[in-house]
Amino acid sequence: MKSSPMSRPFYYLWTTQTAANAADVLYIMALTVLVLNQTNSLVSAALMPLMRSFAQMISGLIAPLLINRFRLPSLLLLSQSGQFLLFIILAIYLQIQGSDASLILVFALVFVMSFLDGWTVPTRNALVPRLVPDEQSLLKANGLISVSDQVVQFAGWGLSGIVVAMLGPSPTLLVTAVIYGLAAVFTLGVKEPAESGDSAAHATTAASGMSGTDGTSSASATTGPSRWHTLTEGWKTIWRMPRLRLLTFMDIIDMLGGSVWVGAFTLAFVQTALGQGEEWWGFINAAYFAGTVSGGLLVLALVRTIGDRFLSAMLIGMAGYGLLTAVYAVNTEPYVALILVLLMGPFAELSIVNRRTLIQRSVGKLMLPKVLSAQASLLHLVFCISLLGMAGLAEWFGIVNLYLLAAVLTIVAFIVGVLGRRSFRAPAEQDTAPN
């Protein structure tokens, strides 16, 4: 079956998110260097990613209130424009103050920017099903976005290091502001189709009138839902729908082990298990990102083969990724480790892209942004817990066993998916809800 061509608004969405991701990489690198130069403290530099995750978690919690008031393209434009303006303020401030800049003010601006960024990914992922013509195109669209995300990560960290070294942290932030400005401009081209572009008032009424899945009409359809109802609607939908509950549970289990690929853990593994220096840390990271890029391209190539067998493809990806992680954990040969992480990428992308597609197909378009916001907040929290917990466990029973634990967690998530296959046989409740 031949998939339909993508719509122009989708390509605008794809472009704006690629630009925004590139800006993120640049500014994180620039600020990390700036903080290290001023404080000579790794702890201070490590606070930034933790603070970003915390801000994004809070943002995801309150995102449903904004989703009820704004159309998704408007919400995306608000996020990108707000970050653009804050970047200009931050870049000018650092350019003027230099080494005398207040880190408290810098961290405060980063917190607000991260807060604005917190609803970007849920909004993007909720917009994708509205901007593609059919389910085959949905898998292709998710694959394209995943490839661009990984390319930015793969190339971005190396290039951003060169840019920061050549220009310095403060001028790099000015470059970042320009990229964010371009992202905001491209967001203007993201338009929903007429049938999806309901007014915010209609969206609010419909969302409350759905009352989710029981088919009853809420009395608040005329008066508007309470704030608490709006904030908890996505969470209740996840809990009420077996397939969403299952996919979210699998995500949580997988995320608990996912933090082992954070830089400090991979460096410790390279030094301890492989007996190599920091240069091999770079090789391992490069191989992993190259694998994920090739994995995204593989998903694009297999769109017709996968068809509507998203669950099977996801489970194959999880099983392959888990087994390769286990072999990686017990391997002591550096070149074999490179091959293993390169092979992990395609399996990881097969799992991630199909899981995202399953979630998008399992809930109606009006409820999808709230569900994705709830999931994003939950996963940010799980990642923070995992990061802290894995650091303690690494000290307790060693880095090799830590990677074995990560492999076991992925296999457990795979087993949960296999046992819960029945949840996907019945049609999704929300698929029949008004869109």
Side-chain angles (χ1 to χ4, degrees):
M1 179 167 56
K2 187 176 181 180
S3 59
S4 305
M6 298 295 178
S7 64
R8 182 176 295 179
F10 168 76
Y11 285 113
Y12 277 117
L13 178 67
W14 184 28
T15 303
T16 186
Q17 287 303 287
T18 302
N21 288 338
D24 275 348
V25 171
L26 263 179
Y27 106 80
I28 291 170
M29 176 67 79
L31 285 183
T32 300
V33 172
L34 185 142
V35 171
L36 281 173
N37 287 344
Q38 283 196 228
T39 65
N40 290 318
S41 169
L42 286 173
V43 174
S44 298
L47 281 174
M48 190 160 50
L50 197 61
M51 185 177 61
R52 275 172 52 83
S53 289
F54 181 67
Q56 290 170 340
M57 182 186 72
I58 296 175
S59 176
L61 289 173
I62 71 163
L65 295 176
L66 296 167
I67 290 166
N68 261 17
R69 295 194 61 180
F70 301 99
R71 296 180 183 179
L72 295 183
S74 300
L75 197 57
L76 195 62
L77 181 61
L78 176 65
S79 171
Q80 305 288 30
S81 301
Q83 290 181 79
F84 171 54
L85 294 174
L86 287 168
F87 260 110
I88 290 177
I89 294 170
L90 178 61
I92 293 174
Y93 173 71
L94 290 174
Q95 196 72 31
I96 294 172
Q97 294 296 321
S99 60
D100 296 326
S102 167
L103 288 183
I104 294 177
L105 180 57
V106 170
F107 279 140
L109 287 170
V110 170
F111 185 90
V112 178
M113 286 187 285
S114 301
F115 179 83
L116 290 175
D117 191 47
W119 61 69
T120 300
V121 173
T123 300
R124 178 195 74 180
N125 290 340
L127 269 170
V128 170
R130 305 187 185 194
L131 302 180
V132 297
D134 52 48
E135 289 185 357
Q136 290 294 302
S137 295
L138 179 58
L139 182 61
K140 180 181 177 183
N142 285 326
L144 284 171
I145 289 174
S146 184
V147 167
S148 64
D149 285 350
Q150 296 301 334
V151 166
V152 168
Q153 289 290 322
F154 178 46
W157 288 109
L159 292 177
S160 62
I162 295 172
V163 172
V164 173
M166 290 176 59
L167 302 180
S170 298
T172 301
L173 289 176
L174 288 173
V175 175
T176 304
V178 172
I179 298 175
Y180 257 112
L182 291 173
V185 169
F186 281 116
T187 305
L188 294 171
V190 181
K191 305 290 184 184
E192 292 187 65
E195 64 269 18
S196 296
D198 314 48
S199 67
H202 172 73
T204 304
T205 303
S208 60
M210 282 165 64
S211 105
T213 57
D214 60 3
T216 61
S217 176
S218 171
S220 63
T222 55
T223 61
S226 69
R227 288 186 178 181
W228 178 250
H229 172 79
T230 300
L231 288 171
T232 58
E233 203 170 7
W235 297 90
K236 290 176 180 176
T237 302
I238 292 172
W239 181 252
R240 186 166 48 227
M241 294 181 61
R243 66 170 63 180
L244 278 181
R245 190 166 63 241
L246 180 71
L247 288 168
T248 304
F249 187 48
M250 292 171 69
D251 249 339
I252 290 171
I253 297 172
D254 210 16
M255 180 65 76
L256 284 171
S259 64
V260 297
W261 296 104
V262 169
F265 296 128
T266 55
L267 177 59
F269 184 87
V270 166
Q271 293 174 335
T272 303
L274 302 181
Q276 300 296 319
E278 292 183 3
E279 69 279 4
W280 274 88
W281 179 38
F283 297 156
I284 293 292
N285 283 330
Y288 183 79
F289 282 120
T292 54
V293 170
S294 63
L297 294 173
L298 177 64
V299 171
L300 289 176
L302 294 178
V303 165
R304 294 187 192 178
T305 304
I306 293 172
D308 60 355
R309 296 184 290 273
F310 306 114
L311 178 62
S312 298
M314 180 190 72
L315 292 175
I316 290 170
M318 294 188 80
Y321 176 77
L323 292 174
L324 286 169
T325 303
V327 176
Y328 176 81
V330 299
N331 168 65
T332 57
E333 294 295 326
Y335 288 100
V336 175
L338 281 181
I339 295 171
L340 289 170
V341 293
L342 192 63
L343 292 175
M344 282 180 204
F347 285 104
E349 288 299 295
L350 195 63
S351 171
I352 292 167
V353 173
N354 281 282
R355 190 184 312 166
R356 182 186 303 162
T357 304
L358 276 170
I359 292 170
Q360 290 167 334
R361 293 179 68 247
S362 296
V363 64
K365 292 176 183 177
L366 288 175
M367 187 59 64
L368 182 58
K370 298 176 182 178
V371 166
L372 291 175
S373 297
Q375 285 183 326
S377 292
L378 183 60
L379 293 177
H380 278 303
L381 175 62
V382 171
F383 180 75
C384 290
I385 293 171
S386 172
L387 200 57
L388 296 172
M390 288 295 185
L393 288 174
E395 293 288 333
W396 182 36
F397 62 83
I399 192 68
V400 170
N401 290 327
L402 193 70
Y403 276 84
L404 282 174
L405 174 61
V408 168
L409 287 170
T410 299
I411 296 299
V412 169
F414 163 77
I415 293 171
V416 168
V418 171
L419 295 177
R421 287 176 69 95
R422 186 178 300 176
S423 302
F424 294 88
R425 290 174 186 164
E429 297 177 58
Q430 284 285 19
D431 287 345
T432 60
N435 288 337

